[in-house]
Amino acid sequence: MRLREETGTSADVLPASADFAQTGRFGEFVQKTCDAVYRSLSIILFFAIWQAASSLEFVPSAVIPPPSRVASAVVESLLEGQMAAMLWYSIINVALGFAISFIICIPAGLVIGAYYSRFEHVLLPFLRVCEKLNIFALFPVFMILFGIGRLEKIMVVLWVSQWPLLFVTIDGSRNLDRYMLKAARSMGARGWKMVRKIIIPMMTPYIFVGMKSSVQLSFFMIIASEMVGANRGLGWLYRSSNHAYNVPLMYGIILVITVLAIVINVIFTRAERHFLAWRPDTFGEAGRKRA
Amino acid sequence: MSENKISIENACKYFYGKERRGAASKFVAIRNVSLDVREGELLSIVGPSGCGKSTLLDLLAGLEPLSDGAIYIDGGKVTGPDLRRGIVLQGYALFPWRTVRENVEFGLEIKDAEKKEMKETSQHFIKLVGLEDFADKYPHELSGGMRQRVALARALAYGPEILLMDEPFAAVDAQTRETLQEELLHIWEETRKTIIFITHSIDEAIFLSDRVAVMTSSPGSIKSILSVDIERPRNSDRATAEFSSLRREIWSLLQNDAARGDEIEQEYCGEKAV
């Protein structure tokens, strides 16, 4: 990765910085702002129409309050500290559940993939059935087993996030390039060195796919489970603002959740660009230049 | 005759299919192959697809255990892969997440060589194959010929005494192929490695080699070994009388066998996947 950055500076960034010198810092800024506005035009329009429709009472503002009120409700909740605390609570639970699931699933997937023929008929049908269990139906079971609270939420995340990770890792582990393994072996790579220097890099694209869907699913499900039964968390806050008829805050939380999903997506895309820069098909030329 | 670097004695390799109701299928990939290779020699093995050439190379590399017989290198029995043999595989098998330099340094990295030594060695071999300007590129940014050069540099970098090459130039266009052949000869002359070169191109075998071993399939065995007594440096137009007569001779040796080749290959691949 270090070397990749070096090539990046020499080959890719130089033309851009030459361009930069020509237009100047301010020109660059204006250009970027215009680009950003142009690309978010549909979103800006959406909010504008919403604002207009609601404040002019085309739609009853008690049911759909204007975005200005939604925004102030979010700010208010943030200032009170409640929003941030709940957001943080949910994020931490997802992070913990996901981390545990990652630690379990990656090695397990590697092993199952490596001895696939042995596990194919014994273990996989069972795992497939488990995967198909409806998580909403499982929420009460988890609550009974672990009690409503942090442990239960972490277990929910662990449960839902393990499947994409596990199956994708099995898939990657079964599809390891035989020739590359052979080449590595001929150069004396064995054991842990083989895993670290060959198998893990070879698996990274698969693992990324699994991680991405795992984390997205985790957030989805933790908010659902917090809405079903919890006394903290973003889902709970949503539920309680609903009960308190705090309609602006309800919409605000929907927006916060959406922003959260976007942020997660951006983080993963960035990470992917960084770790998978060697892949020709990840983002194409433009992707590598931007990375 | 100088000392034998490699000697293969009655090498056999069988593959066993999945057992179905007690009946295991056995496929003989190689039967009773014996071959001696001299120090510093460039020996080619030609044969139809599926005749067990690649299997023989795997055995030589120590990547697969023999079913019977033995292979000796400098008198020592081959039991597993080691760094005295460098292998260049069909289809490059470069590591796509590593730059050219990192690919070339792989063997040294496994040996836990020092950073400085690694850098110097990789620099030397990248230069030898003419890729100085591409050292920090990733394999997908290179052409087929360049990738092949990287694979060669990677195999040379950790200083093997023997180079095993499995149809290394099969995937590049004809012109690049000829350039690579000449470069290989140049590198061979410079380093005096013992090279075993597997190919299905008769011309390539004659142009490169001191001797050509002709393999036939079903089961894979060596039919004949011919000396190529054409003086080096050899004429790259490959149209001399000696060249033609050798080509005809090898061709006729392979002729009887070629018809069965495809069928065998399918069977072989099936077995190997098990």
Side-chain angles (χ1 to χ4, degrees), chain B residues 241-262:
Chain B
E242 282 164 297
F243 209 104
S244 305
S245 80
L246 263 171
R247 183 190 294 138
R248 226 174 298 122
E249 193 174 345
I250 297 172
W251 182 245
S252 65
L253 282 166
L254 290 170
Q255 194 88 84
N256 327 330
D257 209 67
R260 302 194 56 186
D262 293 334

Side-chain angles (χ1 to χ4, degrees), chain B residues 202-219:
Chain B
I202 299 173
D203 277 25
E204 187 168 73
I206 301 171
F207 178 69
L208 294 174
S209 324
D210 296 321
R211 286 189 302 157
V212 178
V214 181
M215 268 187 95
T216 57
S217 56
S218 187

Side-chain angles (χ1 to χ4, degrees), chain A residues 89 93-94 96-97 135-160 218 221-232:
Chain A
Y89 182 77
N93 287 348
V94 167
L96 285 173
I135 181 66
F136 290 97
L138 286 180
F139 285 159
V141 178
F142 277 80
M143 287 175 194
I144 293 165
L145 284 176
F146 305 108
I148 294 176
R150 171 153 273 171
L151 179 63
E152 173 242 342
K153 297 295 175 254
I154 290 174
M155 294 311 283
V156 166
V157 172
L158 176 58
W159 181 265
V160 297
S218 298
M221 288 306 170
I222 200 168
I223 284 165
S225 99
E226 283 167 355
M227 282 167 67
V228 174
N231 47 24
R232 288 179 71 86

